[in-house]
Amino acid sequence: MIVSRRGLIGIGAAGAGSLLLGGCDKLNSSDSFRGALGGATGLNQRTQRFLMGDSLAKEFAEADISPVFKANGSLGVPDPAYQAQLASGFANWALRVDGLVKQPLMLPLSYLKGLAQRTQITRHDCVEGWSAIAKWQGPQLGTVLAAAGLLPTAKYAVFHCADTLEGAPYYESVDLTDAFHPQTILAWAMNGQPLGEPHGAPIRLRVERQLGYKQAKYIMRIELRDTLAGLYRGGGGFWEDARGYQWYGGI
Ligand SMILES: Nc1nc2c(c(=O)[nH]1)N[C@H]1C(S)=C(S)[C@@H](COP(=O)(O)O)O[C@H]1N2
Ligand SMILES: [Mo]
């Protein structure tokens, strides 16, 4: 079941404060929480290294940043609820993390900005035949997933976006190998500025070893699942469903 955008924002406004601002300080200062978090991350990273190694996508220098970075696919989200969030700087917005997790979370943008940040200058490659280099900043996805605590059955992280393309909701997914890769971040800043609407405000995925269509913009919800079957047309992403693009869009 997909939670409607309106419903999501409603939960965000009501639930975010109580769950996080109340819970988070306590969690962060608890040694056992930090221990549990480290353990969960370690387990997934060991799995990842065994499978794929921890090869990094190439990173570039400030001087390499492209003067123009084309926006592609959806250039905005006409939905009035999204527009209201955009106008308020996403002050009442919260990212929902749910599905196969121990603790579903509603994470305000301020919380994501307050986590340890990673900054990386990388090249985005779109299958339509263009590339551009930008600097991205945000928390690692692994940090956010560890805060929710994955259930043992979780295999995929699915990103539900606010926009629709060709009448269908945009979504994407990665496996836990890429979810816990150090360069996989929930970017809220691009070239030192908060993400604008064309590039996916308030947050977009950067999963740097894969192609442009995997870099989901306008992420509202991250759902942990054991299978991609039964979700939309089962391809694990909008373009995978619509055009048969490879689910693993490796570069
Ligand atoms: N939500 C959402 N994410 C998306 C898309 C989209 O249309 N909607 N387009 C994808 C494609 S094909 C590309 S190349 C990049 C474009 O990102 P940009 O607009 O920042 O250049 O976003 C990807 N993520
Ligand atoms: Mo693309």
Side-chain angles (χ1 to χ4, degrees):
M1 188 198 74
I2 299 305
V3 179
S4 78
R5 284 193 290 279
R6 247 167 238 290
L8 198 56
I9 286 162
I11 294 167
S18 49
L19 182 60
L20 273 172
L21 301 182
C24 232
D25 280 354
K26 262 181 269 150
L27 285 178
N28 283 340
S29 60
S30 133
D31 283 347
S32 64
F33 174 73
R34 278 203 297 269
L37 198 150
T41 305
L43 181 63
N44 282 298
Q45 285 178 347
R46 277 196 297 283
T47 309
Q48 171 212 329
R49 281 176 188 146
F50 174 73
L51 289 170
M52 274 185 81
D54 42 7
S55 67
L56 297 175
K58 181 174 164 65
E59 295 193 17
F60 296 80
E62 296 268 346
D64 300 318
I65 292 174
S66 304
V68 175
F69 194 116
K70 180 182 153 75
N72 204 36
S74 292
L75 305 183
V77 184
D79 179 70
Y82 174 90
Q83 287 299 321
Q85 292 285 359
L86 179 70
S88 72
F90 298 95
N92 299 314
W93 174 89
L95 171 68
R96 181 180 184 122
V97 183
D98 65 6
L100 296 172
V101 296
K102 292 180 187 147
Q103 175 61 67
L105 299 172
M106 296 294 297
L107 305 174
L109 191 54
S110 56
Y111 173 86
L112 297 174
K113 291 180 178 178
L115 292 172
Q117 302 286 295
R118 182 177 166 91
T119 300
Q120 58 204 30
I121 301 175
T122 53
R123 193 185 64 222
H124 176 107
D125 295 311
C126 173
V127 290
E128 291 171 19
W130 58 275
S131 298
I133 293 174
K135 178 164 73 175
W136 305 100
Q137 180 188 326
Q140 290 173 316
L141 175 60
T143 306
V144 170
L145 297 184
L150 301 195
L151 294 176
T153 44
K155 286 207 180 89
Y156 302 97
V158 176
F159 307 91
H160 295 281
C161 306
D163 60 319
T164 58
L165 259 191
E166 302 173 0
Y170 202 97
Y171 77 106
E172 256 305 338
S173 59
V174 298
D175 62 16
L176 296 187
T177 299
D178 267 313
F180 283 90
H181 186 274
Q183 288 171 317
T184 300
I185 66 174
L186 295 173
W188 59 268
M190 177 186 190
N191 296 336
Q193 300 294 324
L195 269 187
E197 185 178 7
H199 293 292
I203 55 166
R204 64 107 44 93
L205 183 67
R206 294 303 311 173
V207 50
E208 301 292 359
R209 296 184 302 180
Q210 295 203 52
L211 288 162
Y213 60 87
K214 302 296 289 189
Q215 321 295 326
K217 306 193 281 190
Y218 318 112
I219 298 173
M220 301 287 124
R221 173 183 173 215
I222 301 176
E223 179 194 11
L224 279 297
R225 294 178 60 98
D226 58 352
T227 174
L228 299 172
L231 180 64
Y232 300 108
R233 292 172 59 190
F238 174 86
W239 291 110
E240 291 89 329
D241 283 347
R243 302 275 164 85
Y245 285 11
Q246 293 289 313
W247 175 76
Y248 190 80
I251 295 175

